[in-house]
Structure formats: structure tokens, C-alpha cells
Amino acid sequence: MLTHLPILQVILPLVAAPSCMMLQKSRLSWAFTVLVSFAAFVVSALLLQQVMADGVIRYSLGGWDAPWGIEYRIDALNAWVLFIVTGVSTAVVAAARASVEVELGASRQTVFYTLYLLCFAGLLGIVATGDVFNVFVFLEISSLSTYALIAMGRDRRALWSAFQYLVLGTIGATFILIGIGFLYMMTGTLNMLDLAERLPAVESSAAVLAAFAFILVGICLKLALFPLHLWLPNAYSNAPSIVTAFLAATATKVALYLLVRFTVTVFGIDFSLSALPLQSLFILLGLAGVFVGSAVAIYQSNIKRMLAYSSVAQIGYMIVGIGISTVAGMQATLLHLFNHALMKAALFLALAGLVYRVGGCSLDHIRGMGRQMPWTMGAIAIGGASLVGMPLTAGFISKWYLIAAALDSGFWLLALLVVAGSLLSAIYVWRLIDAAYLREPEKTLPAAASGEAPVGLLIPTWALVLANLYFGIETSLPVSVTQLASAYLLGGAP
Amino acid sequence: MLLSALYNYWVVILLMMTGLYMVIAQGNLIKKIIGLNIFQTSVFIFYISVGKVSGGSAPILSELATAYSNPLPHVLILTAIVVGIATTALALALVLRIRQAYDSVEEQDILTRDNQC
């Protein structure tokens, strides 16, 4: 059983999805999804433990050894991302029931959970596999279900955003496919390790450069890196609240993982940095994302949209970490990947509670809610503090590491700009706090608006909030894992 | 020499650019989907070109053949074709719903209707 963990991680939700379709009762399908997600979380925890203890796990599908068969290869990086995705997903789906009931109506719930499981399986597959074509297939599994999930939003705008995302997402995925084609043409292999071994021999050719460019642009589209982020705010703000929480916390993280996997493992960091001015490109685009994302977020009146733009900014920080291209920078990126998943999931789940009670999530809706929904607003306040990077929250730790990494490499201006970016995020978070605690509530809100979000939603939200606080103080787990992963990635100890 | 020997790659590039241009320039959602399809198809042709070994026969064992074309890209692209069909089906379904909700499949109409309310 233990030797089959890598495949179990992907197969479990993949098989669960059609089974979920057969459960006609919506409560039952919710319980089933929670169960599957939690089982996946246990599997990923076991995997992480195994990787930390014994190093890389290699699993050949169907007994066919790589490079002929498909290989699943779990190292510290994969195991870490799998752990994040399954953990956050469990919290999100545990909170989902009440919110989904209200936002989707009775008839579509089973379909919703089926799509959710499919998307979950796709994301886990992207992370677990060691085969580049498999990456494409799982990418499409998760993307197609994501489009459908977004289209389930209440507003008709959800349909339009889903369509826009579909067009951009398909172009991105097809770019990746073209890149993979070039790689196969030059090397005759699809296995990531094999590619890494064979690419140096042909890396001066234009085809490899083209492959690199196509894959980079394709992934950055999925990642919503600054100039390619246009699909993200619409998709996030119009999707059902639970979907937003899930996507914000996992989908972009997985895309970031792919970026790291391709630039560092497959192409090799030396090639990646020399083929294109990647270092300055990542740092500049990342910073542009931080400032533009935060600046636009300040002017949003829809809170989901505000946090969506803040996601663009936070992705910027992670990209900057990769751009520094030292072990410390990579570690900062991986830490922020974890912490951002925690804080955004907490924030968006709290917003789901607000939407459940009040029916919307603009700044008018949140006005004066500090007294009526103290727990929900408390979650938003602490999540926001973490977003800004206040000490004692998880956000502080990742920014601390990022600044330290920047200073280590002599980018002192970069360190200053990171601090300045945090100040910008403090402005929009303050707008939330100000509206929630210092304003009088709107008189015209429905009577149902008085009262707290349902307990089933509050418990997972607060679990995530407490995780934000816990990992802001006790950082041994994320720091040790990310240290191992980044040292392994950038050629330190295996 | 370059033009004639590698003409299949030029076809790929032409199709790819046509498709991308259609996705960007056309306002009609159905035309956008068709553009997306052409774009994806160009990649299929690209893969199939990659798999061809000049002088090689189909990858079926026979005494007459000494070289075989590489079957793997074909197998891969079979998967990609399925993905393409799924994407198209989903996109068409979305357009259907958009038409019900907005009573139009023109990008411009949808944007103005969204801004009205």
C-alpha cells in the first residue's frame, strides 16, 4: 500500500469524481467529497513524511520503467505542493455545503462536487507526474473543470468570464503543448529527468529556445503573471465563492510549481537564466505585478475583485523570489506559496460566509458587519493582516525570507520595493477593516443579514485563520521542507 | 530548399497564426471558437510532422520496411485531439448559455449589456 502512494494520490479523486456523479443526494455527495479530499490529504502527508525521511520516491505506472513508461516522481517540492493543495482543498470543501446550497440551488450540487473532484484530481496529477505530456493532459482536466465551475456562478457575467478564461486558458495550454512538441522533437523523450539529461547537448539550438519560450508563456498565462493576468479578476469575482477560495489557494500555486519545475528541473537553472534575461524579467514583471495589482485593488468596491487583484500582486512576490534565483530566493517563493494559500483560502472562505448571509460582497455589504458577524469579520481581519505581512502571521514570515534573500544577493532596492508593496496592500486591507468596524451598517439589508455565518463554514475558516497564526510563530515545518526542496532544486544536497 | 523541404512546418505556422488572429480579432464567439480550433489543429499537424521519418513506413512490422515512423507523437496527439474536442464542446455549451443569458453571441453586445446594469 505504502509503495503505491504516489498513484493513489491522483487516482483517488479521479475515480471518486464519476462515483460522486452517481450519488444523487447533494448532502451525500458533499460528505463524499470531503471524505475523498481528506483521504488525499492523509496520502499527501504520508508522502511528505516519506520524502523527508528517505528522499525521492519514484513510481513507474503499470510497472513500465521510465523512460518508456510514465513515471511519477515525488521529491520534496512535489510533496510540499501536494500537501498544500490537499490540505487547503479539505478545508475549503468542508466549508462548502451551506454556501454551495445557497449559491447554486438544489439541482446542481452533485454536478458541482463532481467537477470539483475532477479539478482536484487534475491539479494533483500535474504536480505528481514526472512526464511532460502527462502534465498537459492533467492541466486540461483541471482547466476544463475549472471553466465549468466558474460558469456556475450566480450572475450571467460568470458565463462570460468562464468563456474568456476558456479562450486564454486553451491558448496557454496549447502553447505548452507546442513547447513539449519541440522538446520531444529535439530529445525523443518526455520524461522530465531524461529531458534534463539530454537537453544540455542540444541547448544551443533554436528549437529548444522556442520550446522554452512557448512553455514559459503558456505557464505564465495559467499563472496570471502580471501582463497575462487579465482573465483572473473576472474569473475570481464571478465564480461561486467556494470555487474562488479553491482556485485562489490552489490553481495558481500549481501553475507556479510548473514554472519552477520547468525552469529549474527540466531546462536547468543555468540554461533558463542564460537563454533569456529571465532574472531581470521575473523581477521586473513580479514587481510590476505587485504594484499594479495592489494599486488596482485599492480602487475596487467589490471585495472579491479586490482580493483577486491582490492575488495578482502576491503572485508577483513569488515570481520575484524565483527571479532572485538563489536557494534563499527559491525558499522564499515556496514559503510564500504555502502562506498565500493559507491566507487567501481563509479570506475567501470568510467572504463566502458574508455572501451567504448578506447576499453580496461589495464594500457596502460589509459595512458595520464587525458587530453583526464578529467571527467572520475577525477572520477577514486576521487574514488581511497576514496578507499585509504583519508580524505573528504567516505572511510576515514569507516576506521576511523574501527580503532577506533579496538583501543576501545585494538587491537592496528590491527589498525596499517589497516593503513598499506591503504598504500598498495595507491600504486595501485597511479599507476592509474600516468598513467592517468603523462604519454604520447599511439600513436596506435584508433581515436575514443579522447573524453569523453558519458554523459549518466558520470552523474550516477559523482552522485556516489559526493556521495562519500558528505558521507565523512556529515555522519549523514549512521552513525545513522548503529549505530541503530549494536546496535540492538548485543543486545543493540531493 | 527551406521552403519546399519543410513546407509542412510552414503550413503549421500559417494555420497557427490564422487561428490566433481569429481568436483575437473576431467578435463573434462562434468564430472565436473556430479560430481556437484551427490553432489547436496546427499543433496536431506539427506533432504528426515530427513523427515522420523520411523513407520510413507505418510502424507495423514487415519484411519490406527497414525504417519506421515514430508512432508516439501520433498517440500523443490522439489524446490532444480528444482534449480539443472536449474544449470545443465546453466552449459551445458556454456560448449556448451566453446566448440564453445575453441574447447575443457578439462580444461587443455582451460587453455593452454588462456595463448597462
Side-chain angles (χ1 to χ4, degrees):
Chain A
M1 189 69 179
L2 274 178
T3 53
H4 291 293
L5 282 180
I7 188 65
L8 204 60
Q9 179 84 94
V10 183
I11 280 291
L12 197 69
L14 197 64
V15 174
S19 329
C20 183
M21 196 69 197
M22 287 174 220
L23 303 171
Q24 286 298 326
K25 297 261 189 321
S26 48
R27 290 264 166 115
L28 206 61
S29 49
W30 168 73
F32 181 68
T33 311
V34 175
L35 195 73
V36 170
S37 186
F38 183 71
F41 179 58
V42 172
V43 171
S44 74
L46 286 173
L47 272 175
L48 185 64
Q49 189 198 15
Q50 214 172 324
V51 167
M52 293 297 283
D54 314 330
V56 178
I57 306 170
R58 307 182 68 158
Y59 182 87
S60 306
L61 253 66
W64 294 89
D65 281 330
W68 293 282
I70 293 166
E71 181 192 39
Y72 279 16
R73 195 164 176 286
I74 314 283
D75 58 20
L77 177 64
N78 307 42
W80 181 232
V81 179
L82 287 174
F83 184 71
I84 296 170
V85 171
T86 51
V88 170
S89 160
T90 306
V92 167
V93 79
R97 194 178 60 80
S99 173
V100 169
E101 242 165 38
V102 169
E103 288 188 35
L104 269 79
S107 59
R108 289 191 294 171
Q109 288 186 43
T110 307
V111 182
F112 173 87
Y113 289 115
T114 308
L115 285 170
Y116 183 96
L117 279 173
L118 264 181
C119 183
F120 185 51
L123 292 175
L124 293 179
I126 296 173
V127 181
T129 184
D131 181 281
V132 283
F133 196 80
N134 237 8
V135 165
F136 166 75
V137 174
F138 279 116
L139 189 70
E140 283 292 5
I141 291 178
S142 72
S143 301
L144 286 170
S145 38
T146 307
Y147 309 144
L149 281 174
I150 290 172
M152 284 182 153
R154 251 194 299 192
D155 204 334
R156 65 179 180 182
R157 279 171 216 200
L159 296 169
W160 176 235
S161 338
F163 186 83
Q164 279 178 311
Y165 183 23
L166 184 142
V167 169
L168 283 175
T170 307
I171 291 176
T174 311
F175 272 3
I176 295 175
L177 187 63
I178 297 169
I180 292 170
F182 274 120
L183 286 183
Y184 184 74
M185 189 164 91
M186 294 310 292
T187 60
T189 179
L190 291 165
N191 185 284
M192 285 179 183
L193 266 191
D194 259 20
L195 276 172
E197 268 170 34
R198 294 188 199 186
L199 273 176
V202 290
E203 72 180 13
S204 55
S205 77
V208 174
L209 197 63
F212 185 59
F214 271 120
I215 289 177
L216 209 60
V217 173
I219 295 176
C220 287
L221 251 171
K222 283 277 168 199
L223 180 67
L225 178 61
F226 162 62
L228 306 171
H229 70 281
L230 293 171
W231 57 268
L232 186 141
N234 277 330
Y236 278 18
S237 49
N238 294 325
S241 305
I242 291 297
V243 175
T244 313
F246 179 61
L247 290 182
T250 59
T252 47
K253 309 292 168 294
V254 169
L256 195 94
Y257 156 82
L258 259 190
L259 183 67
V260 173
R261 187 52 93 200
F262 269 103
T263 50
V264 180
T265 309
V266 173
F267 285 97
I269 189 78
D270 296 328
F271 170 79
S272 298
L273 291 180
S274 59
L276 291 171
L278 211 58
Q279 196 169 14
S280 38
L281 207 65
F282 274 168
I283 290 182
L284 283 178
L285 288 181
L287 280 178
V290 168
F291 282 98
V292 175
S294 307
V296 177
I298 292 172
Y299 291 102
Q300 298 304 317
S301 59
N302 180 321
I303 303 173
K304 265 194 198 172
R305 245 185 132 69
M306 178 191 283
L307 292 180
Y309 275 108
S310 129
S311 272
V312 174
Q314 303 293 322
I315 289 161
Y317 287 120
M318 295 179 224
I319 295 290
V320 166
I322 301 177
I324 295 173
S325 65
T326 58
V327 174
M330 188 59 76
Q331 192 187 0
T333 297
L334 297 180
L335 267 175
H336 199 52
L337 198 134
F338 174 64
N339 294 336
H340 182 241
L342 286 183
M343 58 182 106
K344 268 292 151 57
L347 278 168
F348 275 121
L349 277 187
L351 273 190
L354 184 75
V355 174
Y356 178 83
R357 248 331 146 207
V358 192
C361 60
S362 71
L363 279 174
D364 288 337
H365 285 107
I366 205 179
R367 255 165 54 184
M369 281 297 151
R371 259 152 289 169
Q372 304 198 18
M373 310 174 76
W375 286 97
T376 311
M377 289 306 126
I380 289 187
I382 298 176
S386 190
L387 198 62
V388 177
M390 303 263 261
L392 297 184
T393 57
F396 173 71
I397 303 297
S398 41
K399 289 218 173 112
W400 178 262
Y401 270 84
L402 185 60
I403 291 171
L407 289 178
D408 247 14
S409 315
F411 296 116
W412 56 269
L413 185 64
L414 177 63
L416 277 181
L417 287 171
V418 167
V419 176
S422 306
L423 292 181
L424 276 180
S425 57
I427 298 177
Y428 60 77
V429 170
W430 175 251
R431 286 188 74 201
L432 290 182
I433 308 272
D434 173 63
Y437 289 101
L438 303 178
R439 299 293 169 90
E440 284 306 307
E442 192 90 6
K443 290 286 183 296
T444 54
L445 285 178
S450 58
E452 195 54 73
V455 182
L457 213 163
L458 272 182
I459 292 172
T461 312
W462 270 88
L464 285 166
V465 169
L466 292 178
N468 262 306
L469 294 174
Y470 177 78
F471 288 113
I473 300 163
E474 166 59 44
T475 57
S476 60
L477 171 74
V479 167
S480 62
V481 177
T482 52
Q483 204 155 27
L484 187 77
S486 46
Y488 175 73
L489 277 172
L490 295 176
Chain B
M1 178 319 181
L2 200 65
L3 251 177
S4 57
L6 297 174
Y7 74 94
N8 39 358
Y9 291 102
W10 289 105
V11 169
V12 169
I13 292 169
L14 192 75
L15 280 178
M16 198 179 281
M17 292 303 128
T18 315
L20 260 185
Y21 177 77
M22 274 180 80
V23 174
I24 297 162
Q26 292 291 341
N28 185 303
L29 300 191
I30 302 283
K31 287 182 183 166
K32 266 186 200 290
I33 295 174
I34 293 173
L36 210 58
N37 251 316
I38 294 176
F39 177 56
Q40 287 181 311
T41 309
S42 75
V43 183
F44 305 160
I45 297 176
F46 168 63
Y47 265 75
I48 293 163
S49 301
V50 168
K52 173 71 183 165
V53 173
S54 51
S57 84
I60 301 166
L61 272 181
S62 102
E63 279 127 30
L64 299 172
T66 50
Y68 299 99
S69 286
N70 188 349
L72 188 69
H74 298 70
V75 180
L76 294 181
I77 228 55
L78 217 55
T79 316
I81 289 171
V82 173
V83 168
I85 292 168
T87 313
T88 311
L90 182 62
L92 287 172
L94 271 177
V95 168
L96 205 68
R97 292 283 311 278
I98 286 175
R99 162 118 172 95
Q100 284 168 356
Y102 288 88
D103 203 26
S104 169
V105 291
E106 294 289 335
E107 189 176 1
Q108 213 50 52
D109 290 350
I110 293 168
L111 290 178
T112 47
R113 259 162 243 215
D114 258 350
N115 290 334
Q116 275 165 8
C117 57

